[in-house]
C-alpha cells in the first residue's frame, strides 16, 4: 500500500492511455498539460517503471499496457459500487444464487410479496447450475436443488416438489386424453436431457407400475424451460416438477395428467456460509422464504 498513489494520479494515468498527447488528456481532465505530465512522471518515479514512450504521440510501454486494465477495473468497480449504494437508499442488498429455471418459475413470481413484507431488503438474483462454495463472495446465499449434502455450509430444507406429466389442451384435443398411465407410451414424450437430478420418464413409469422398453420420445431438451415451452406448444407431453408449472396449471395452459403422488427424490435447500444465516437481513429473508416454501409444500401434496 506504500506504493499506492492518489486517485487523481491514477485517473490521470487512465485518461492519458486513451489519448495521443498529454494536451488531449489535460483537456478531458480540465487541468494543464504540465500538471498531467508532472503527475505521470511522479507515478513513474513512485513505481520505478516507465509507463509511456514519449514522442510526437504517446504510446504505452509493456509495463504501462499491463497496468491499464487493472486501473480501469478499479475505477469501473468504484463507480459501480457508488451507483449501487446510492440506488439502495438505505436498503440492504441480498445476493441470491439459484438456478435459472427456479428463479424464473418459482422465485420471481413471489418476490413482490417479499418487497411488501420487507421493503428494506433488495434482492439481486444470480443464476447458475454449478455447485457453490462462496469462495468468490459473489453471492450471500444460494438456493440449490439436491440431496442436502453441503459440507461446511449452513443448509436448510425448503420444500420437495411432486413430479407428474403435463400436456396442453391443444395436444389433448388432437390426440385424446390418456385414460391410464400406460396410454402415455403411445404419445410423444418430451425428455429433459442431462443431469441425474432432472425428472426421468423411466422412474415415473416404474412408480406407476408400467413396464417400459422403448419410449416414444419426441425431442430431447437440455433445459427445463424449453421442455415446458414445448409442452405449451403442443409438441408432446412433459414430465414436470410441480414448482415449474404453477402458473401454467393455474391458467389452464397445461393440464396435469393422473393424480398420482410421486415426490421428487431431490429437494430445494437454502444454503449459505456458516454464520451468515444469523445476520438480521438474512434472517428476514430466510423466514420469508420458509413461509413461501411451507405454502408451496402444502400445494404440492
Amino acid at each position: 500500500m506504500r506504493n499506492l498513489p492518489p486517485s487523481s494520479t491514477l485517473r490521470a494515468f487512465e485518461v492519458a492511455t486513451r489519448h495521443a498527447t498529454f494536451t488531449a488528456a489535460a483537456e478531458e481532465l480540465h487541468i494543464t498539460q504540465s500538471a498531467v505530465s508532472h503527475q505521470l512522471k511522479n507515478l513513474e518515479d513512485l513505481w520505478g517503471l516507465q509507463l509511456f514512450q514519449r514522442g510526437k504521440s504517446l504510446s504505452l510501454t509493456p509495463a504501462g499496457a499491463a497496468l491499464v486494465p487493472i486501473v480501469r477495473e478499479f475505477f469501473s468497480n468504484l463507480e459501480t459500487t457508488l451507483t449501487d449504494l446510492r440506488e439502495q437508499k438505505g436498503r440492504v442488498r441480498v445476493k441470491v444464487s439459484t438456478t435459472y429455471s427456479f428463479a424464473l418459475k418459482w422465485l420471481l413470481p413471489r418476490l413482490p410479496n417479499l418487497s411488501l413484507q420487507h421493503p428494506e431488503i433488495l434482492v439481486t438474483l444470480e443464476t447458475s447450475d454449478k455447485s457453490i462454495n462462496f469462495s468468490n463472495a459473489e453471492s450471500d446465499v444460494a438456493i440449490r436443488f439436491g440431496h442436502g449434502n453441503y459440507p461446511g455450509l449452513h443448509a436448510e430444507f425448503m420444500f420437495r416438489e411432486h413430479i407428474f406429466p403435463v400436456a396442453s389442451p391443444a395436444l389433448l384435443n388432437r390426440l385424446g386424453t390418456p385414460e391410464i398411465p400406460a396410454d402415455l407410451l403411445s404419445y410423444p414424450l418430451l425428455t429433459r436431457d442431462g443431469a441425474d437430478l432432472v425428472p426421468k420418464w423411466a422412474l415415473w413409469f416404474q412408480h406407476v407400475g408400467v413396464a417400459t422398453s422403448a419410449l416414444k420420445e419426441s425431442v430431447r431438451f437440455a433445459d427445463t424451460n424449453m421442455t415446458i415451452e414445448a409442452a405449451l406448444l403442443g409438441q408432446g407431453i412433459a414430465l414436470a416438477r410441480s414448482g415449474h408449472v404453477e402458473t401454467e396449471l393455474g391458467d389452464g395452459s397445461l393440464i396435469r395428467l393422473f393424480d398420482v403422488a410421486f415426490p421428487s427424490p431431490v429437494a430445494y435447500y437454502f444454503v449459505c456460509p456458516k454464520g451468515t444465516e444469523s445476520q438480521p437481513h438474512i434472517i428476514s429473508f430466510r423466514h420469508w422464504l420458509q413461509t413461501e416454501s411451507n405454502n408451496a409444500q402444502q400445494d404440492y401434496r
Side-chain angles (χ1 to χ4, degrees), residues 32-298:
T32 65
Q33 181 272 342
S34 61
V36 173
S37 180
H38 182 70
Q39 284 183 314
L40 295 179
K41 182 63 170 65
N42 286 344
L43 184 60
E44 290 177 322
D45 291 342
L46 176 66
W47 285 344
L49 297 169
Q50 184 179 353
L51 303 175
F52 293 92
Q53 295 286 357
R54 293 161 173 81
K56 290 184 178 180
S57 62
L58 291 174
S59 62
L60 288 165
T61 65
L67 289 166
V68 168
I70 298 172
V71 174
R72 286 179 179 166
E73 183 179 13
F74 164 75
F75 283 111
S76 175
N77 289 342
L78 179 62
E79 181 60 30
T80 298
T81 301
L82 288 172
T83 300
D84 192 43
L85 290 171
R86 294 188 191 105
E87 290 177 349
Q88 288 183 39
K89 298 179 180 178
R91 301 170 74 188
V92 182
R93 185 177 296 279
V94 177
K95 293 180 287 186
V96 181
S97 171
T98 187
T99 63
Y100 178 76
S101 59
F102 180 81
L104 181 66
K105 293 293 188 178
W106 195 92
L107 189 56
L108 274 178
R110 290 171 165 82
L111 284 182
N113 179 261
L114 173 66
S115 297
L116 289 175
Q117 293 186 33
H118 297 285
E120 77 281 5
I121 295 178
L122 183 61
V123 168
T124 298
L125 283 180
E126 300 167 350
T127 58
S128 173
D129 290 334
K130 298 179 180 178
S131 59
I132 188 167
N133 56 20
F134 299 99
S135 59
N136 55 13
E138 290 182 357
S139 301
D140 300 310
V141 302
I143 299 170
R144 283 296 184 266
F145 189 56
H147 297 283
N149 182 27
Y150 303 98
L153 298 173
H154 173 84
E156 297 177 22
F157 173 84
M158 286 175 52
F159 66 91
R160 189 180 306 276
E161 297 166 297
H162 276 258
I163 298 171
F164 45 76
V166 294
S168 70
L171 181 136
L172 298 179
N173 288 336
R174 187 172 75 249
L175 302 179
T177 301
E179 296 183 1
I180 57 174
D183 292 344
L184 292 182
L185 296 175
S186 63
Y187 283 72
L189 302 179
L190 304 172
T191 305
R192 166 73 162 89
D193 207 357
D196 293 336
L197 300 181
V198 303
K200 303 294 184 182
W201 277 111
L203 290 178
W204 186 84
F205 278 119
Q206 181 182 6
H207 179 76
V208 297
V210 175
T212 61
S213 52
L215 299 179
K216 186 180 179 181
E217 294 187 35
S218 173
V219 182
R220 281 182 175 260
F221 297 93
D223 178 79
T224 298
N225 298 313
M226 285 194 294
T227 309
I228 300 303
E229 185 63 26
L232 287 166
L233 294 173
Q235 295 179 5
I237 296 177
L239 191 60
R241 297 200 300 264
S242 46
H244 287 72
V245 289
E246 291 178 338
T247 300
E248 292 80 4
L249 295 178
D251 63 21
S253 55
L254 286 177
I255 306 297
R256 175 177 177 171
L257 303 177
F258 311 113
D259 189 15
V260 177
F262 183 32
S264 171
V266 284
Y268 289 97
Y269 292 84
F270 171 89
V271 185
C272 68
K274 289 183 178 178
T276 299
E277 77 279 3
S278 60
Q279 296 176 8
H281 59 290
I282 300 297
I283 290 175
S284 296
F285 180 70
R286 283 171 51 220
H287 288 175
W288 171 81
L289 198 60
Q290 198 62 56
T291 298
E292 294 294 331
S293 298
N294 290 339
N295 292 338
Q297 191 71 45
Q298 295 294 326

